[in-house]
C-alpha cells in the first residue's frame, strides 16, 4: 500500500469477501452494495460505538430512524444551492495558494495546497477567520492521530498530546456554539444552531456535527487531491489532455475519485446473523466495504485500472451509497473542481520531483500521501 496501492487493491479484489485482521473485507461490488444498502442488518452505529466518542458523531454514528432525522435536518445546508454562492470566494482562495507555487517552480503539494485548502473551506463555511487555519490543522492532525492508533492501549506521549489537543478543540467548539446560538448569521453553523423546535440540535449534537466535519471532511479532500495530482503527474498524456481542455475537469474529478476514494474502508457491524457472499456472519461481525476495489469492477468500468476522462457513465461509489452517502459530496466536488481547474490554468506542466517518492501513510483508517513534491515544467526541459 505505501508505494504501490494499485497492486494492493488488485490483490484484494481477487477475493470478493476476505477475512482480514479486524473482521471481513467486502471487495466485490455486489457485496459492497448489499452491505451499504441494508443499514438494518449492517449497522454504522455499532461500528462507530467502538470509537467511544464523547460526543455523538452526527449523523454517521447513527442508524435509521435517528440517522434519517439528522439527515433531513442537515441535508439542505450542504445542497448545491447553498454551496454554489461560495464558489467565487473559494476559487480565489485556490488562486492565492497556486500562484506563489507557479512563481517559485516547486512545492510539496500536500503541505502547500491539499493540506490547507479544505481547512480554509471549512472555516469559510462555518464563518470562522482564515487566520485560524494553522490552529485547525494542528487540532485535526492530533485528533486523527488518535483515531489512527489502531486500538493500541499504550498511553504514550503522542497519545497524551493528541488527547490534550482534542480537548482544546472540544472546548473551542463548545464556546463557539454558545456564542452562535440564537444569533442570526449567514454561515452554516449559525443557521444550523438557529433551527427551531422540534428539529433543534442540542449543544452536544452540534459539537458532534462539528467534530465529524473536522474528522471526515478535511483529510478526505486533502487525500483525494493528493492522489489525483499524483496520478496526473505520473500520467503525462492524461495531464496534458486535462490541461488542454478544462471542460474535462468535472469528469476528471469523478474518474480520479473512482480510482482513489480517500475513505476507502466503510465499517459496519452486523446487527443480526446473516449470510453474505456464501459466508454465515454471526451478529456482531465487523465488515468493511472496500470502495477502491468495488470501483474497479470490470463489468461496470471498461479498462478499470486506467484513467479515462470519457466514461459514458461513471458509477463509482467513492462517496458511499445508501442512507449514509456522504453529506458533503457537493462541497467536496466543488473543492476538487476548483483546485484542478485553477492549478492547470497556471501549471499545465509538472512532474514528481526526482529523488522523492510519494508514500501512503499506512496502516490507517483513511489513505493519503504524506507528501507530494512537485517540480513545475517538463522533466526533460
Amino acid at each position: 500500500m505505501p508505494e504501490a496501492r494499485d497492486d494492493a487493491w488488485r490483490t484484494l479484489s481477487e477475493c470478493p469477501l476476505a477475512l482480514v485482521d479486524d473482521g471481513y473485507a467486502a471487495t466485490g461490488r455486489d457485496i459492497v452494495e448489499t452491505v451499504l444498502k441494508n443499514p438494518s442488518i449492517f449497522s454504522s452505529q455499532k461500528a462507530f460505538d467502538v470509537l467511544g466518542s464523547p460526543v455523538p458523531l452526527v449523523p454517521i454514528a447513527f442508524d435509521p430512524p435517528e440517522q434519517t432525522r439528522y439527515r433531513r435536518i442537515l441535508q439542505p445546508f450542504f445542497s448545491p444551492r447553498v454551496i454554489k454562492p461560495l464558489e467565487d470566494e473559494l476559487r480565489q482562495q485556490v488562486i492565492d495558494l497556486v500562484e506563489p507555487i507557479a512563481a517559485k517552480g516547486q512545492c510539496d503539494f500536500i503541505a502547500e495546497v491539499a493540506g490547507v485548502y479544505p481547512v480554509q473551506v471549512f472555516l469559510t463555511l462555518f464563518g470562522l477567520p482564515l487566520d485560524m487555519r494553522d490552529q485547525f490543522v494542528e487540532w485535526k492532525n492530533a485528533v486523527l492521530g488518535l483515531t489512527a492508533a489502531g486500538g493500541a492501549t499504550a498511553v504514550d506521549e503522542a497519545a497524551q498530546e493528541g488527547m490534550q489537543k482534542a480537548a482544546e478543540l472540544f472546548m473551542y467548539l463548545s464556546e463557539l456554539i454558545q456564542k452562535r446560538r440564537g444569533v442570526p448569521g449567514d454561515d452554516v453553523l449559525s443557521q444550523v444552531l438557529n433551527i427551531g423546535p422540534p428539529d433543534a440540535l442540542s449543544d452536544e449534537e452540534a459539537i458532534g456535527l462539528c467534530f465529524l466535519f473536522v474528522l471526515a471532511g478535511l483529510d478526505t479532500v486533502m487525500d483525494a487531491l493528493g492522489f489525483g495530482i499524483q496520478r496526473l503527474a505520473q500520467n503525462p498524456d492524461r495531464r496534458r489532455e486535462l490541461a488542454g481542455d478544462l471542460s474535462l475537469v468535472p469528469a476528471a474529478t469523478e474518474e480520479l475519485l473512482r480510482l482513489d476514494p480517500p475513505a476507502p474502508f466503510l465499517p459496519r457491524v452486523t446487527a443480526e446473523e446473516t449470510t453474505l457472499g456464501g459466508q454465515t456472519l454471526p451478529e456482531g461481525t465487523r465488515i468493511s466495504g472496500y470502495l477502491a476495489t468495488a470501483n474497479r469492477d470490470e463489468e461496470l468500468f471498461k479498462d478499470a485500472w486506467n484513467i479515462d476522462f470519457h466514461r459514458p457513465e461513471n458509477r463509482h461509489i467513492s462517496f458511499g451509497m445508501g442512507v449514509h452517502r456522504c453529506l458533503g459530496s457537493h462541497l467536496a466536488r466543488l473543492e476538487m473542481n476548483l483546485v484542478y481547474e485553477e492549478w492547470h490554468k497556471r501549471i499545465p506542466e509538472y512532474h514528481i520531483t526526482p529523488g522523492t517518492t510519494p508514500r501512503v501513510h499506512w496502516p490507517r483508517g483513511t489513505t493519503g500521501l504524506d507528501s507530494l513534491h512537485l517540480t513545475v515544467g517538463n522533466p526533460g526541459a
Side-chain angles (χ1 to χ4, degrees):
M1 183 63 78
E3 292 183 18
R5 59 188 180 277
D6 281 354
D7 292 345
W9 299 133
R10 197 182 293 274
T11 300
L12 282 163
S13 67
E14 293 171 4
C15 183
L17 186 66
L19 190 62
V20 291
D21 286 346
D22 61 348
Y24 284 88
T27 70
R29 176 69 176 235
D30 291 348
I31 295 178
V32 171
E33 289 198 13
T34 297
V35 170
L36 298 184
K37 287 181 175 179
N38 292 279
S40 62
I41 299 173
F42 303 98
S43 167
S44 182
Q45 183 168 341
K46 290 180 180 294
F48 280 87
D49 281 349
V50 299
L51 284 180
S53 172
V55 291
L57 296 176
V58 176
I60 197 170
F62 293 85
D63 294 323
E66 295 89 350
Q67 184 268 352
T68 308
R69 170 181 172 263
Y70 288 131
R71 186 90 183 191
R72 175 179 56 78
I73 294 169
L74 297 172
Q75 186 83 51
F77 298 103
F78 296 93
S79 68
R81 181 181 60 81
V82 173
I83 300 303
K84 183 69 175 174
L86 297 171
E87 181 173 334
D88 288 347
E89 182 177 355
L90 299 184
R91 183 184 297 277
Q92 187 59 51
Q93 290 181 23
V94 177
I95 294 169
D96 291 343
L97 292 172
V98 173
E99 285 188 338
I101 295 169
K104 69 180 180 178
Q106 60 183 17
C107 73
D108 175 356
F109 183 80
I110 304 300
E112 296 176 52
V113 181
V116 294
Y117 180 58
V119 180
Q120 293 187 183
V121 173
F122 165 77
L123 294 171
T124 302
L125 198 66
F126 277 54
L128 296 169
L130 291 187
D131 61 15
M132 287 202 69
R133 185 188 76 187
D134 293 345
Q135 176 64 77
F136 263 89
V137 169
E138 183 180 319
W139 281 338
K140 178 256 303 179
N141 289 341
V143 174
L144 284 169
L146 284 176
T147 65
T153 53
V155 183
D156 58 16
E157 189 175 331
Q160 286 181 322
E161 184 181 356
M163 287 186 280
Q164 180 183 339
K165 296 296 181 186
E168 288 177 13
L169 176 59
F170 180 87
M171 289 303 299
Y172 176 81
L173 293 174
S174 300
E175 292 172 6
L176 179 65
I177 285 165
Q178 293 301 321
K179 290 177 185 174
R180 296 282 176 89
R181 177 83 70 184
V183 179
D186 294 333
D187 62 279
V188 166
L189 181 59
S190 295
Q191 292 182 56
V192 167
L193 289 173
N194 286 287
I195 298 171
D199 289 336
L201 296 185
S202 68
D203 287 357
E204 187 180 46
E205 290 170 329
I207 293 170
L209 171 66
C210 294
F211 246 95
L212 181 66
F213 206 106
V214 171
L215 291 173
L218 303 186
D219 261 26
T220 48
V221 177
M222 174 183 79
D223 293 342
L225 286 169
F227 282 147
I229 290 291
Q230 180 199 14
R231 283 199 188 269
L232 291 168
Q234 293 174 331
N235 291 270
D237 288 346
R238 297 289 71 75
R239 172 172 53 74
R240 289 175 186 135
E241 180 186 16
L242 180 61
D245 181 4
L246 292 177
S247 71
L248 290 173
V249 163
T253 293
E254 300 306 315
E255 179 68 347
L256 295 169
L257 276 168
R258 179 185 71 83
L259 289 166
D260 288 301
F265 315 109
L266 295 188
R268 300 290 187 266
V269 170
T270 54
E272 59 187 56
E273 182 181 290
T274 189
T275 301
L276 186 71
Q279 295 280 344
T280 298
L281 307 180
E283 179 183 351
T285 301
R286 184 178 176 89
I287 179 166
S288 295
Y290 278 43
L291 304 187
T293 55
N295 282 345
R296 287 167 164 81
D297 187 316
E298 294 282 358
E299 292 186 10
L300 285 178
F301 303 102
K302 182 183 177 183
D303 200 16
W305 295 85
N306 292 318
I307 302 172
D308 181 357
F309 297 149
H310 304 279
R311 295 188 183 279
E313 189 178 16
N314 196 334
R315 293 176 52 202
H316 71 76
I317 53 173
S318 293
F319 290 118
M321 67 188 324
V323 297
H324 284 289
R325 191 180 182 283
C326 176
L327 189 65
S329 60
H330 299 299
L331 179 61
R333 281 189 168 104
L334 176 62
E335 292 177 61
M336 295 180 69
N337 286 345
L338 292 176
V339 170
Y340 290 144
E341 188 173 327
E342 297 304 329
W343 175 275
H344 288 97
K345 280 181 186 176
R346 291 159 179 80
I347 309 176
E349 294 282 351
Y350 55 94
H351 57 277
I352 294 172
T353 302
T356 68
T357 303
R359 290 178 58 86
V360 173
H361 40 242
W362 186 259
R364 191 166 165 180
T366 59
T367 57
L369 298 175
D370 290 322
S371 61
L372 178 59
H373 294 278
L374 300 174
T375 299
V376 174
N378 265 318

